[in-house]
Amino acid sequence: MSTVHVRVYVTPKRGILDPQGVTIERALPALGFDGVSGVRVGKFIELDVAVDGGSPEVVRAEVDEMCRKLLANPIIEDFTFEVDA
Amino acid sequence: MSTVHVRVYVTPKRGILDPQGVTIERALPALGFDGVSGVRVGKFIELDVAVDGGSPEVVRAEVDEMCRKLLANPIIEDFTFEVDA
């Protein structure tokens, strides 16, 4: 059975506090990196999905549902994903 | 001062245990998603870097150093990044 590779990007929604991003932004100047702003930390998830004769549209719909149900928290996070051809 | 947007992708190295990925892979079938394998969870970090007259090469070198020193753990993680034109 063939699989397609999927990359999912999960990011905190605008306006939602991102403690990891704040921590990184505060730590950078102490390491000699000035002028960095807007740090936001999200998740980068890679997975392989079996296609089993399904069309790319079917795979995309399945991944979208996975993101809504498990990979992201749609209340506080946005997500996008790419499905390899 | 103008800034460039940077996207950093941090992934667990091959062969390094990824407990988040294992957990997701085990949870998916219970939610009705079969045929998903190779789940790996990393970080997706966005940031804006002030350019202050520096060339794109200077920005790339600075971000590479940031990744090595703070954003990723090079012992157990790989990283790549994209700098917007």
Side-chain angles (χ1 to χ4, degrees):
Chain A
M1 187 183 292
S2 66
T3 61
V4 289
H5 192 68
V6 178
R7 283 176 299 275
V8 178
Y9 309 92
V10 180
T11 50
K13 279 186 193 285
R14 272 179 193 283
I16 295 282
L17 182 66
D18 172 18
Q20 284 188 92
V22 171
T23 303
I24 288 172
E25 199 164 318
R26 286 186 188 157
L28 284 169
L31 294 170
F33 301 106
D34 293 309
V36 179
S37 60
V39 181
R40 304 287 280 170
V41 180
K43 283 185 289 186
F44 173 51
I45 305 167
E46 291 180 288
L47 43 96
D48 298 305
V49 180
V51 259
D52 201 14
S55 72
E57 285 316 305
V58 171
V59 173
R60 292 190 66 82
E62 192 180 11
V63 173
D64 188 84
E65 204 183 340
M66 270 181 226
C67 289
R68 287 173 201 286
K69 287 192 174 169
L70 183 68
L71 304 182
N73 176 347
I75 313 240
I76 58 168
E77 292 170 328
D78 292 321
F79 65 86
T80 60
F81 59 86
E82 295 167 349
V83 178
D84 276 3
Chain B
M1 189 183 291
S2 67
T3 61
V4 290
H5 191 68
V6 178
R7 283 177 298 276
V8 178
Y9 310 91
V10 180
T11 50
K13 279 186 193 285
R14 271 179 194 285
I16 295 283
L17 183 67
D18 173 18
Q20 285 187 91
V22 171
T23 303
I24 288 173
E25 199 164 319
R26 285 186 188 157
L28 285 169
L31 293 170
F33 301 106
D34 294 310
V36 179
S37 60
V39 181
R40 303 288 278 170
V41 180
K43 284 184 289 184
F44 173 50
I45 305 168
E46 291 180 288
L47 43 96
D48 298 306
V49 180
V51 256
D52 200 15
S55 71
E57 285 315 305
V58 171
V59 173
R60 291 190 67 82
E62 191 179 10
V63 172
D64 188 84
E65 204 184 340
M66 270 181 227
C67 289
R68 288 175 201 286
K69 287 192 174 169
L70 183 68
L71 304 181
N73 177 347
I75 311 231
I76 58 169
E77 293 170 328
D78 292 321
F79 65 86
T80 60
F81 59 86
E82 295 167 349
V83 177
D84 277 3

